[in-house]
């Protein structure tokens, strides 16, 4: 009788001890203490510095600076195309809204803009370049004359970039 009662009690004791035996021997580490800094505006310390919010004029100046220079719209653009296989360069002048063919590419100029205060400094042209053979658009967006690699057209054979705007 004692044997019958001892066996289940022994099994129960072993089952409750197994999870403790399965755990690592290492002591659990204390959780890291996070030191939250107090906002100086709510601090009682007179030496804490509260950063002033920018004024409305300062915010407007920051928005104007981020917008970039004032631009003017040109009547057209001067573009250059390169056939990378043959080495052929082709310069072409386009009016806004006009299409030009270069190899298997069809280039459409939407508009060309330049800085109003310094017309000779840069040109920004909105182009769409369509591959007529593959029947898909190779490039659509703005190209910048001073930084052609910033928004370059990616085609294995052809390259097209903006040279300048036609203001006349």
């Amino acid at each position: 009788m004692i044997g019958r009662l001892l066996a289940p009690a022994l099994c129960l004791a072993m089952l409750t001890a197994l999870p403790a035996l399965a755990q690592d021997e290492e002591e659990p580490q204390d959780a890291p203490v996070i030191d939250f800094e107090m906002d100086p505006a709510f601090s009682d310390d007179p030496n804490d510095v509260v950063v002033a919010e920018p004024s409305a004029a300062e915010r407007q100046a920051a928005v104007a600076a981020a917008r970039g220079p004032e631009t003017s719209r040109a009547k057209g653009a001067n573009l250059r195309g390169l056939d990378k296989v043959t080495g052929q360069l082709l310069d072409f002048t386009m009016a806004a809204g006009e299409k030009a063919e270069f190899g298997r590419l069809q280039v459409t100029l939407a508009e060309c803009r330049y800085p109003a205060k310094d017309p000779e400094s840069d040109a920004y042209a909105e182009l769409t370049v369509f591959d007529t053979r593959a029947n898909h658009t190779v490039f659509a967006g703005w190209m910048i004359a001073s930084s052609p690699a910033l928004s370059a057209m990616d085609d294995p054979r052809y390259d097209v970039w903006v040279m300048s705007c036609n203001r006349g």
Side-chain angles (χ1 to χ4, degrees), residues 79-94 99-108 128-133 138 153 155-161:
L79 305 175
R80 179 168 287 164
L82 169 67
D83 184 334
K84 298 175 192 175
V85 175
T86 63
Q88 173 193 8
L89 277 175
L90 177 66
D91 289 346
F92 42 101
T93 302
M94 299 177 64
K99 294 181 181 182
E101 300 289 328
F102 178 61
R104 66 174 190 263
L105 302 180
Q106 183 181 53
V107 181
T108 306
T128 302
V129 181
F130 186 77
D131 188 333
T132 56
R133 187 178 302 158
V138 178
M153 184 184 84
D155 187 77
R157 179 164 183 171
Y158 297 102
D159 200 1
V160 175
W161 64 94

Side-chain angles (χ1 to χ4, degrees), residues 29-111:
Q29 295 180 0
D30 292 335
V33 177
I34 300 173
D35 184 25
F36 292 104
E37 290 188 26
M38 180 176 280
D39 185 348
F42 299 110
S43 174
D44 293 332
D45 186 359
N47 295 325
D48 279 348
V49 177
V50 178
V51 179
E53 289 289 322
S55 68
E58 290 170 330
R59 285 195 299 270
Q60 285 179 336
V63 168
R67 195 175 291 134
E70 193 69 33
T71 60
S72 295
R73 185 178 293 196
K75 296 183 183 215
N78 297 318
L79 305 175
R80 179 168 287 164
L82 169 67
D83 184 334
K84 298 175 192 175
V85 175
T86 63
Q88 173 193 8
L89 277 175
L90 177 66
D91 289 346
F92 42 101
T93 302
M94 299 177 64
E98 189 177 32
K99 294 181 181 182
E101 300 289 328
F102 178 61
R104 66 174 190 263
L105 302 180
Q106 183 181 53
V107 181
T108 306
L109 174 68
E111 69 176 299

